[in-house]
Coordinates of all heavy atoms in Angstrom, one line a residue:
Y191 N 57.2 120.5 107.6 CA 57.0 121.9 108.0 C 58.3 122.6 107.9 O 59.3 122.2 108.5 CB 56.5 121.8 109.5 CG 56.2 123.2 110.1 CD1 56.1 124.4 109.4 CD2 56.0 123.3 111.5 CE1 55.8 125.6 110.0 CE2 55.7 124.5 112.1 CZ 55.6 125.6 111.4 OH 55.4 126.8 112.0
T192 N 58.3 123.7 107.1 CA 59.5 124.4 106.9 C 59.3 125.9 107.3 O 58.3 126.5 107.0 CB 59.9 124.4 105.3 OG1 60.1 123.1 104.9 CG2 61.1 125.3 105.0
V193 N 60.3 126.4 108.0 CA 60.2 127.8 108.4 C 61.4 128.5 107.8 O 62.6 128.0 107.8 CB 60.3 128.0 110.0 CG1 60.5 129.4 110.4 CG2 59.0 127.4 110.6
L211 N 62.5 124.8 116.8 CA 63.4 123.6 116.4 C 62.7 122.3 116.7 O 62.8 121.4 115.8 CB 64.7 123.7 117.2 CG 65.8 124.5 116.5 CD1 67.1 124.5 117.3 CD2 66.1 124.1 115.0
V214 N 59.7 121.8 113.8 CA 59.8 121.9 112.3 C 60.7 120.8 111.7 O 61.4 120.1 112.5 CB 60.4 123.3 111.9 CG1 59.5 124.4 112.4 CG2 61.8 123.4 112.3
N215 N 60.6 120.6 110.4 CA 61.5 119.7 109.8 C 62.7 120.4 109.2 O 63.8 119.8 109.2 CB 60.8 118.9 108.6 CG 59.5 118.2 109.2 OD1 58.4 118.7 109.0 ND2 59.8 117.1 109.9
S216 N 62.5 121.6 108.7 CA 63.6 122.4 108.1 C 63.5 123.8 108.5 O 62.4 124.4 108.5 CB 63.7 122.3 106.6 OG 63.6 121.0 106.1
L217 N 64.7 124.4 108.8 CA 64.7 125.8 109.1 C 65.7 126.4 108.1 O 66.9 126.1 108.1 CB 65.2 126.0 110.5 CG 65.3 127.4 111.2 CD1 63.9 128.0 111.2 CD2 65.8 127.3 112.6
L218 N 65.3 127.3 107.3 CA 66.1 127.9 106.3 C 66.5 129.3 106.7 O 65.6 130.1 107.1 CB 65.4 128.0 104.9 CG 64.6 126.8 104.5 CD1 64.0 127.0 103.1 CD2 65.4 125.6 104.5
I219 N 67.8 129.7 106.7 CA 68.2 131.0 107.2 C 68.8 131.8 106.1 O 69.7 131.4 105.3 CB 69.4 130.8 108.2 CG1 68.9 129.8 109.4 CG2 69.8 132.1 108.8 CD1 67.9 130.4 110.3
A255 N 70.0 121.4 116.8 CA 69.3 120.9 115.5 C 69.8 119.6 115.1 O 69.1 118.6 114.8 CB 69.5 121.9 114.4
K256 N 71.1 119.4 115.2 CA 71.8 118.1 114.9 C 71.2 117.0 115.8 O 70.8 115.9 115.3 CB 73.3 118.2 115.1 CG 74.1 117.3 114.2 CD 75.5 117.6 114.3 CE 76.1 117.9 112.9 NZ 77.5 118.4 113.1
L258 N 68.4 116.9 117.3 CA 66.9 116.7 117.1 C 66.7 116.1 115.7 O 65.6 115.7 115.3 CB 66.1 118.0 117.2 CG 66.0 118.6 118.6 CD1 65.5 120.0 118.5 CD2 65.1 117.7 119.5
G259 N 67.7 116.1 114.8 CA 67.5 115.6 113.4 C 66.8 116.7 112.6 O 66.1 116.3 111.6
V260 N 66.8 118.0 113.0 CA 66.2 119.0 112.2 C 67.2 119.6 111.3 O 68.4 119.9 111.7 CB 65.6 120.1 113.2 CG1 65.1 121.3 112.4 CG2 64.5 119.5 114.0
K261 N 66.8 119.9 110.1 CA 67.8 120.5 109.1 C 67.8 122.0 109.3 O 66.8 122.7 109.1 CB 67.4 120.2 107.7 CG 67.9 118.8 107.3 CD 67.6 118.5 105.8 CE 66.2 118.1 105.6 NZ 65.7 117.9 104.3
I262 N 69.0 122.6 109.7 CA 69.1 124.1 109.6 C 69.9 124.3 108.3 O 71.0 123.8 108.2 CB 69.9 124.7 110.8 CG1 69.0 124.6 112.1 CG2 70.1 126.2 110.5 CD1 69.6 125.4 113.3
V263 N 69.2 124.9 107.3 CA 69.8 125.0 106.0 C 70.4 126.4 105.8 O 69.6 127.4 105.9 CB 68.8 124.7 104.9 CG1 69.5 124.6 103.5 CG2 68.1 123.4 105.2
L264 N 71.7 126.5 105.7 CA 72.4 127.7 105.6 C 72.8 128.0 104.1 O 73.0 127.0 103.4 CB 73.6 127.8 106.4 CG 73.4 127.7 107.9 CD1 74.7 127.7 108.7 CD2 72.5 128.8 108.4
I313 N 63.1 123.0 98.7 CA 62.6 122.5 100.0 C 61.2 123.1 100.3 O 60.3 122.4 100.8 CB 63.6 123.0 101.1 CG1 64.9 122.3 100.9 CG2 63.0 122.6 102.5 CD1 66.0 122.8 101.8

Side-chain angles (χ1 to χ4, degrees):
Y191 179 15
T192 297
V193 171
L211 273 183
V214 302
N215 303 103
S216 306
L217 185 60
L218 317 184
I219 304 289
K256 206 173 239 171
L258 291 168
V260 173
K261 281 186 275 175
I262 292 189
V263 188
L264 298 178
I313 297 171

